[in-house]
Every structure is written in structure tokens, then in C-alpha cells.
């Protein structure tokens, strides 16, 4: 351990101890939090099933930074690089289109064996796995509808795909020894104002009931449902709205997924967690950064991220909340995007763990809002960076900006050698 890092840490430790915070405990707690890092930042949500297929479903990736992974091997190599620069052991979040198989398989035919290589790699790396059916970028979703499609044949195709996705999730859970969360998000919606808002929602309700009909051991797989306010091409109406999935998740005992970019611009996910925690069996976060719209920018250490982390820590909600990331930026180095976004989530959690929540709560209860404001502002200048550096060193990952040099070296030796 470098002396400077250690000295800074010891000073910080004393200061936090004066507020009753044990930094050693905090570091242990932080090391236990698993972030589900999304594979799709590595190749601009392309996948390997049909690489000529354009990205649809109202989501969009912009930028043409060189070096995107084009094979499962390349993606795994990039993921290994990213994980080697992030403290702690985490999970990888896969989408169905990332299947790794020589067979020609369509979405309604996926089976666990098409993901065997991912599983053996995850085991080797000590990673957990999460999963998502891919209900977009496919000829059968070309008109913007999947599980709520008016045509029963198309609906059945997507129902079958989602059913099979849960079986892949079960397989992931059994094999890795960590519960897999299989999250259903569909793009279904109308560009223009619909006449019938209810019909598609009724169809979605019964389609989901079919998808979830088979009981799967919750030690292996947990189901989540993700709502959205609007997408490109579904500006006027989205079938799977927040109210829809709140109702669905609460009545069917499913985890409710909150994506930070899926609400009105001044509406925040952080303010929903406490309320939802009272009623939902579990919550899944898609931590993202919407810039003017659901643009999925790389997560920065901004106020809303801190507020989300605070809710999870202050109210002890980590036991029923899974943290997943969801952003895709093709204008910067994709490995750097993963490292920055994942570390920021961890930094936000660390800062929250270093706040004297009990002391602040007491001030609030006593009506001493002056002290509450004063202490909160003071805390913004506290040396949480010293604790972070110590944590990184302890976890054997580069301290401070050193990780970027690693990424730059990798860019020269690996990414730039790739065809495009
Ligand atoms: C889309 C949703 C969804 C996707 C991923 C790729 O708006 O946020 O979670 O981003 O499934
Ligand atoms: Zn999402």
C-alpha cells in the first residue's frame, strides 16, 4: 500500500469516525455490492444473432468510435479489461441477441445451450449473470409491437421468446450460484395518438401472464418488468407505461424495473424508491443518464445518482434492489464508458455510506433544518476520495486516473487492430 494513500485514508478515517462512521465497515459493505454491468455498451446494442439488422425499438446509439466488439470473443476480452479496472466482483447483464452459438437460431428457439460459453466464462471470472429477452431489432417487431401485437401469431412468437428467456435465466442462476434477474422490456407503442389505449394493455397483460405461467425457483431466476414513457416512434403512447407495470408487478409479485431515462424530464427515480419499497417484492434499477431525452449517456457522478444511492443506503434497500446499468455511447472508448459508469455507481454508494444518516435524521426529526442543511453542505467537502483510493488499492485495481492509461494501451494494442 502506498504511504500517501494510506496516510490520506487514516486522516479520513478519523474524521468520519468523529461522526460515528466506521470506514472499515463501509469498505466491506461496498465490496459486497454487485453492479450488473450491461454487455451492450461494448458493441452498440448490436449482438451476434443478426449483425446486419439495424437497431430498432426506439432506442438509438450515436457515434462511431473505433473498436466495437464484433464477436463474443472480442466482447469477452473487452469485458475482462473493463472488470479488471473496476473494484469488486460484479455481474454481467446479457441480452438474448448475444447468444454464442454456431447454430442459426431465431429468438423463439433460444435454449440454455446457446449461452453455454457465456456461462463457462462467467464461472471462470467469478461473475454472476442477468438476462433480457430481446424484443426489438427483429423483423417481427418491425411495426413497433411485440407482446401486445394485435396479430396472435406475432404475439405468440414474442411470448415464446420471453418464456425461453426465463429458462435461460434459470440456467444462469443454477450454474453461477447467483440469482439471475430476467428483465422484460418491450418497445410497443404508437407514434400518434391512439384511439384504443386499453386494448394493447389488455393484450400485454395476458401475454405476460402466459410468459410467467411457469413457476421458476426464485433462487435461480427472478423476473422484472421495465416501463417507459416514450421512445423514438412511440412518442404519443407506450403500452408498458409506469402505471401499467406498477400494477402488474405489484399484483404478480414481479420486480419493478425503474430506468432513470424512462420518466418525465423533471421526474426522478430516486423519489420513487422509498414508496415502491413498501409494496414491491423487489426493484431493479437501470441506472442511466437521460440528456434532454432517453439518450442513455454514460452515468456521471451527478446529484441524481447520489440521490439514488442515498435512498438505497439510508433506507437499507439493497436487500430488495438490484442495480443494473443501462447506457450506450459509441462516441467514446467503450471500455472507458463501462469503467466510468460502473465506478460512478460505486462512488455514489460509497459517498452515501460515508454520510451520518442517523445524525441527519435526528436533526430532521427535531426540526433543526438549519443544521441539516449545514451538515449536508459540509459533507460535500469531506475526503471520500481518500477512502475510494484506499478501496481501489485494496481491491487491486489502479488508483485514480491510472486506469485510463491501461485503457489507452488496450486501445492501441487491441481495439485499433480490429477491422472497423
Ligand atoms: C430501452 C430500455 C431497455 C434497453 C436495453 C437494451 O429504453 O431502457 O432496458 O435499453 O434492454
Ligand atoms: Zn433500461
Amino acid at each position: 500500500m502506498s504511504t500517501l494513500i494510506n496516510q490520506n485514508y487514516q486522516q479520513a478515517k478519523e474524521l468520519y469516525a468523529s461522526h460515528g462512521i466506521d470506514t472499515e465497515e463501509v469498505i466491506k459493505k461496498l465490496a459486497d455490492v454487485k453492479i450488473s454491468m450491461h454487455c451492450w455498451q461494448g458493441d452498440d446494442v448490436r449482438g451476434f444473432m443478426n449483425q446486419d439488422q439495424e437497431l430498432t425499438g426506439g432506442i438509438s446509439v450515436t457515434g462511431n468510435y473505433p473498436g466495437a466488439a464484433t464477436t463474443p470473443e472480442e466482447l469477452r476480452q473487452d469485458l475482462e479489461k473493463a472488470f479488471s479496472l473496476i473494484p469488486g466482483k460484479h455481474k454481467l447483464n446479457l441480452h438474448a441477441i448475444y447468444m454464442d452459438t454456431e447454430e442459426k437460431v431465431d429468438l423463439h428457439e433460444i435454449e440454455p445451450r446457446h449461452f453455454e460459453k457465456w456461462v463457462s466464462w462467467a464461472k471462470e471470472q467469478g461473475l454472476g449473470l442477468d438476462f433480457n429477452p430481446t424484443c426489438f431489432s427483429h423483423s417481427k417487431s418491425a411495426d413497433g409491437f411485440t407482446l401486445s401485437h394485435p396479430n396472435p401469431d406475432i404475439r405468440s412468437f414474442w411470448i415464446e421468446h420471453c418464456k425461453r428467456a426465463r429458462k435461460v435465466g434459470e440456467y444462469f442462476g443454477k450454474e453461477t450460484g447467483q440469482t439471475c434477474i430476467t428483465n422484460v422490456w418491450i418497445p410497443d407503442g404508437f407514434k400518434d395518438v391512439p384511439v384504443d389505449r386499453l386494448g394493447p394493455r389488455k393484450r400485454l397483460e395476458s401475454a405476460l401472464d402466459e410468459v410467467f405461467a411457469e413457476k421458476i425457483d426464485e433462487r435461480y431466476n427472478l423476473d422484472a418488468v421495465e416501463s417507459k414513457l416514450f421512445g423514438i416512434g412511440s412518442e404519443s403512447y407506450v403500452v408498458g407505461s409506469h402505471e401499467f407495470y406498477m400494477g402488474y408487478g405489484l399484483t404478480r409479485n414481479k420486480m419493478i424495473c425503474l430506468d432513470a431515462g424512462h420518466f418525465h424530464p423533471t421526474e426522478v427515480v430516486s423519489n420513487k424508491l422509498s414508496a415502491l419499497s413498501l409494496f414491491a417484492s423487489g426493484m431493479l434499477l437501470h441506472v442511466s443518464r437521460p440528456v434532454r431525452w432517453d439518450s442513455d449517456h454514460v452515468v456521471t457522478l451527478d446529484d441524481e445518482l447520489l440521490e439514488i444511492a442515498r435512498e438505497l443506503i439510508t433506507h437499507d434497500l439493497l436487500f430488495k434492489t438490484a442495480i443494473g446499468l443501462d447506457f450506450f455511447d459509441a462516441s467514446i472508448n467503450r471500455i472507458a464508458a463501462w469503467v466510468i459508469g460502473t465506478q460512478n455507481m460505486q462512488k455514489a454508494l460509497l459517498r452515501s455510506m460515508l454520510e451520518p444518516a442517523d445524525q441527519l435524521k435526528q436533526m430532521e426529526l427535531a426540526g433543526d433544518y438549519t443544521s441539516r442543511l449545514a451538515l449536508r453542505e459540509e459533507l460535500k467537502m469531506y475526503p471520500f476520495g481518500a477512502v475510494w483510493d484506499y478501496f481501489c488499492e485494496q481491491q487491486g485495481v489502479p488508483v485514480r486516473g491510472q486506469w485510463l492509461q491501461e485503457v489507452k494501451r488496450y486501445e492501441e494494442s487491441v481495439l485499433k487492430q480490429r477491422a472497423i
Side-chain angles (χ1 to χ4, degrees):
M1 170 86 47
S2 105
T3 25
L4 188 60
I5 290 172
N6 198 30
Q7 274 169 8
N8 289 342
Y9 172 69
Q10 294 307 330
Q11 276 182 8
K13 184 177 169 173
E14 258 178 56
L15 181 58
Y16 284 115
S18 71
H19 289 280
I21 295 161
D22 180 344
T23 50
E24 297 292 320
E25 286 297 315
V26 164
I27 284 173
K28 269 195 221 127
K29 202 171 156 190
L30 184 63
D32 281 344
V33 183
K34 288 185 191 294
I35 313 288
S36 185
M37 201 172 85
H38 53 313
C39 73
W40 52 92
Q41 166 62 70
D43 76 331
D44 315 334
V45 208
R46 204 164 272 284
F48 308 116
M49 196 182 95
N50 182 0
Q51 286 174 307
D52 298 328
Q53 164 72 49
E54 58 160 342
L55 177 62
T56 70
I59 49 181
S60 166
V61 185
T62 50
N64 57 356
Y65 203 85
T70 54
T71 64
E73 289 74 24
E74 286 179 352
L75 187 57
R76 284 192 282 266
Q77 189 187 8
D78 293 354
L79 284 160
E80 280 180 33
K81 181 46 77 182
F83 279 124
S84 76
L85 303 171
I86 297 166
K89 278 280 165 219
H90 300 282
K91 292 177 98 182
L92 175 70
N93 198 4
L94 281 171
H95 242 282
I97 47 170
Y98 289 81
M99 63 180 74
D100 185 358
T101 173
E102 297 300 312
E103 288 174 54
K104 187 93 195 93
V105 185
D106 202 350
L107 292 173
H108 66 312
E109 299 163 336
I110 57 164
E111 286 180 43
R113 67 192 159 88
H114 304 125
F115 297 87
E116 261 168 13
K117 289 192 201 151
W118 281 110
V119 165
S120 52
W121 175 78
K123 282 183 178 170
E124 197 185 285
Q125 302 287 318
L127 295 165
L129 290 171
D130 290 317
F131 199 55
N132 304 262
T134 308
C135 302
F136 53 85
S137 298
H138 191 278
S139 57
K140 289 210 157 50
S141 68
D143 58 5
F145 286 86
T146 63
L147 287 177
S148 74
H149 205 288
N151 177 337
D153 293 336
I154 297 185
R155 222 161 52 233
S156 300
F157 173 88
W158 292 110
I159 291 171
E160 186 61 27
H161 173 51
C162 292
K163 280 184 176 172
R164 283 169 182 253
R166 297 178 72 227
K167 299 302 281 182
V168 174
E170 177 185 39
Y171 162 68
F172 284 177
K174 273 188 188 159
E175 290 291 323
T176 62
Q178 295 182 42
T179 311
C180 170
I181 299 176
T182 300
N183 175 51
V184 176
W185 172 73
I186 59 163
D188 303 28
F190 283 115
K191 181 183 179 77
D192 224 330
V193 183
V195 172
D196 184 5
R197 287 186 165 86
L198 183 58
R201 289 184 172 139
K202 279 186 174 163
R203 290 196 290 272
L204 177 56
E205 181 190 24
S206 64
L208 288 170
D209 283 346
E210 274 190 60
V211 167
F212 298 129
E214 181 179 340
K215 280 245 166 310
I216 292 183
D217 192 327
E218 298 201 336
R219 277 175 305 165
Y220 305 132
N221 182 73
L222 284 171
D223 304 302
V225 285
E226 179 180 3
S227 67
K228 189 162 176 167
L229 178 70
F230 80 94
I232 302 170
S234 60
E235 290 85 353
S236 302
Y237 167 87
V238 167
V239 183
S241 60
H242 181 50
E243 294 72 15
F244 177 89
Y245 282 122
M246 274 267 283
Y248 192 86
L250 295 180
T251 51
R252 274 43 168 212
N253 229 13
K254 299 295 170 199
M255 289 177 94
I256 294 173
C257 174
L258 301 174
D259 183 310
H262 289 191
F263 296 88
H264 288 281
T266 56
E267 197 180 354
V268 282
V269 157
S270 54
N271 191 32
K272 298 179 187 299
L273 293 168
S274 51
L276 214 45
S277 76
L278 296 173
F279 309 106
S281 64
M283 293 163 309
L284 169 64
L285 292 176
H286 267 193
V287 182
S288 192
R289 180 164 55 104
V291 178
R292 302 194 185 278
W293 66 290
D294 181 33
S295 59
D296 293 290
H297 278 62
V298 178
V299 168
T300 53
L301 189 50
D302 59 13
D303 286 348
E304 171 57 3
L305 186 68
L306 275 167
E307 214 55 49
I308 289 173
R310 256 184 210 125
E311 289 298 305
L312 299 179
I313 302 306
T314 315
H315 313 310
D316 236 332
L317 296 181
L318 282 174
F319 79 99
K320 54 156 51 180
T321 313
I323 307 174
L325 304 174
D326 187 11
F327 50 79
F328 22 98
D329 188 338
S331 72
I332 59 172
N333 181 301
R334 294 171 182 80
I335 293 152
W338 269 323
V339 176
I340 293 167
T342 311
Q343 284 197 358
N344 276 337
M345 185 68 238
Q346 293 181 289
K347 287 176 183 171
L349 291 165
L350 172 66
R351 275 184 66 173
S352 311
M353 290 173 186
L354 290 172
E355 284 177 358
D358 291 339
Q359 203 182 348
L360 284 161
K361 268 187 210 163
Q362 273 161 23
M363 290 170 178
E364 188 163 278
L365 274 177
D368 186 0
Y369 306 141
T370 312
S371 302
R372 180 184 68 181
L373 180 63
L375 181 55
R376 271 180 162 173
E377 293 307 298
E378 285 299 323
L379 287 166
K380 288 183 180 170
M381 300 299 281
Y382 271 40
F384 40 82
V387 183
W388 173 256
D389 291 346
Y390 181 85
F391 175 63
C392 286
E393 183 134 305
Q394 202 186 56
Q395 292 285 321
V397 302
V399 176
R400 297 203 188 148
Q402 282 171 34
W403 64 266
L404 185 59
Q405 289 153 35
E406 273 289 312
V407 171
K408 294 274 183 193
R409 264 198 294 276
Y410 185 79
E411 180 170 312
E412 286 303 319
S413 60
V414 180
L415 300 180
K416 283 197 177 158
Q417 312 307 318
R418 288 181 186 164
I420 27 161

